[in-house]
Amino acid sequence: MRTLVIVSPDKSDIYFANQLAKALNVVGVVVENQTPEKDRSSLATKAIKYLSTPGQFFRKVLEVMDRRFIEPRQPYNDPANSLDFGEEERVLKVGEGVEILRTQGVNAINNPGYLAWIRDRRPDVIAVCGASILRADLLAIPKYGVLNLHGGLSQFYRGLFTTDWAIHNREPECVGATVHFVSEGVDDGDVVYQGRPHIEEGDHPNSLYEKVVRLGVQMMVRAVSDIEQSRCPRTKLESKGDLYLHNMFHVAAKRTTWRQIETGAITDYLTNQIERDQKVKGALINEFSTPKETS
């Protein structure tokens, strides 16, 4: 099963690509640029622009002061709380003969030149983690479709930072992963597998997201294997969760999320875990079991 992988440069996505390269017949990897170009105008030009609008200038001064004195002291910037996927989060190691394409320009992956490169790899299936919206021409390339690892349970949370939003909303029971076929919507394609990580005291948004990604890699490998063996489950997502966009997870939302940990969001969940898990387990689609769980 010729598998092409599309990821962002985030370390969780590089880890995802490396793990799939170990387990599957990966024939190419696309690393998609998702960083907008910076404002390269001179400091004087920027100052004139902001001074002409006093309100905006004042907000910028507050932002600078915040970044300098408050942001470094936030718990998510403590090295002890950082994501850690080991060496395989840093450098792509996909094996001899596997080509890597790095796109230029935000959301440019649907451009004809990149589509041609992907077609030339002749993928049977495309596995995605962290990519932008893929259009119909790209989705039509692989014979068996495009699979996405979404770091959330789509019937509860769609979009970005969904592990964080589940904690922000004090719903650790909704932390999980979904492997689904990609449609032209957002995290609303037919579901192959869903799974939830083991949550324990001491977990926080980053440790939970790490667990979600590690579980999601297993789910993706199983899904591709299932397609190859003509036994892949595929279930329509009947109920769509709320959609969370990139700009919604601003600094204030991030800080609130981590305060929920400090004020006992995990402890409260674990205290009533059986009751709180019921509604989620009942809604799971094609719940994923690891080999240990099925033995």
Side-chain angles (χ1 to χ4, degrees), residues 66-139:
D66 185 288
R67 286 197 299 269
R68 176 66 177 85
F69 297 106
I70 300 176
E71 184 68 6
R73 294 176 170 80
Q74 297 303 309
Y76 48 80
N77 285 321
D78 184 337
N81 293 332
S82 64
L83 283 172
D84 185 9
F85 293 97
E87 181 63 28
E88 292 192 344
E89 71 179 26
R90 300 179 183 90
V91 180
L92 275 174
K93 299 178 180 178
V94 293
E96 186 177 353
V98 179
E99 293 187 69
I100 299 172
L101 169 68
R102 299 181 186 275
T103 68
Q104 302 297 316
V106 177
N107 298 329
I109 193 168
N110 296 287
N111 291 353
Y114 296 137
L115 295 183
W117 188 93
I118 292 171
R119 286 193 190 95
D120 287 346
R121 309 281 86 73
R122 297 181 292 106
D124 296 309
V125 66
I126 294 177
V128 174
C129 184
S132 58
I133 299 296
L134 307 181
R135 302 302 180 194
D137 287 347
L138 198 160
L139 298 179

Side-chain angles (χ1 to χ4, degrees), residues 120-283:
D120 287 346
R121 309 281 86 73
R122 297 181 292 106
D124 296 309
V125 66
I126 294 177
V128 174
C129 184
S132 58
I133 299 296
L134 307 181
R135 302 302 180 194
D137 287 347
L138 198 160
L139 298 179
I141 292 175
K143 178 179 179 181
Y144 296 104
V146 179
L147 293 173
N148 178 53
L149 169 56
H150 168 54
L153 301 176
S154 300
Q155 59 271 65
F156 298 104
Y157 289 88
R158 295 182 300 128
L160 299 175
F161 303 108
T162 46
T163 296
D164 297 271
W165 280 113
I167 300 303
H168 180 282
N169 298 337
R170 298 185 76 88
E171 293 184 323
E173 61 270 28
C174 293
V175 170
T178 302
V179 169
H180 64 91
F181 284 94
V182 178
S183 65
E184 288 194 76
V186 179
D187 302 325
D188 61 359
D190 294 350
V191 173
V192 179
Y193 287 119
Q194 291 190 318
R196 300 165 65 231
H198 174 66
I199 299 176
E200 53 197 338
E201 199 69 62
D203 271 327
H204 51 74
N206 284 344
S207 67
L208 290 173
Y209 181 64
E210 183 181 325
K211 291 179 179 182
V212 164
V213 172
R214 292 182 185 276
L215 175 61
V217 165
Q218 296 181 60
M219 291 163 56
M220 182 64 77
V221 170
R222 176 86 61 82
V224 173
S225 175
D226 285 348
I227 290 175
E228 188 170 23
Q229 298 177 48
S230 302
R231 64 182 190 191
C232 181
R234 182 168 182 162
T235 304
K236 182 179 175 59
L237 182 69
E238 299 289 351
S239 176
K240 299 179 185 180
D242 290 338
L243 178 60
Y244 291 87
L245 303 178
H246 186 275
N247 61 2
M248 295 170 67
F249 198 63
H250 41 65
V251 170
K254 189 171 187 176
R255 291 178 184 173
T256 297
T257 297
W258 283 78
R259 278 198 298 272
Q260 301 290 31
I261 298 296
E262 296 171 356
T263 57
I266 298 297
T267 301
D268 290 348
Y269 160 69
L270 292 173
T271 301
N272 300 288
Q273 185 173 4
I274 295 176
E275 179 182 346
R276 291 180 63 169
D277 280 351
Q278 284 181 344
K279 72 163 187 174
V280 178
K281 287 185 69 66

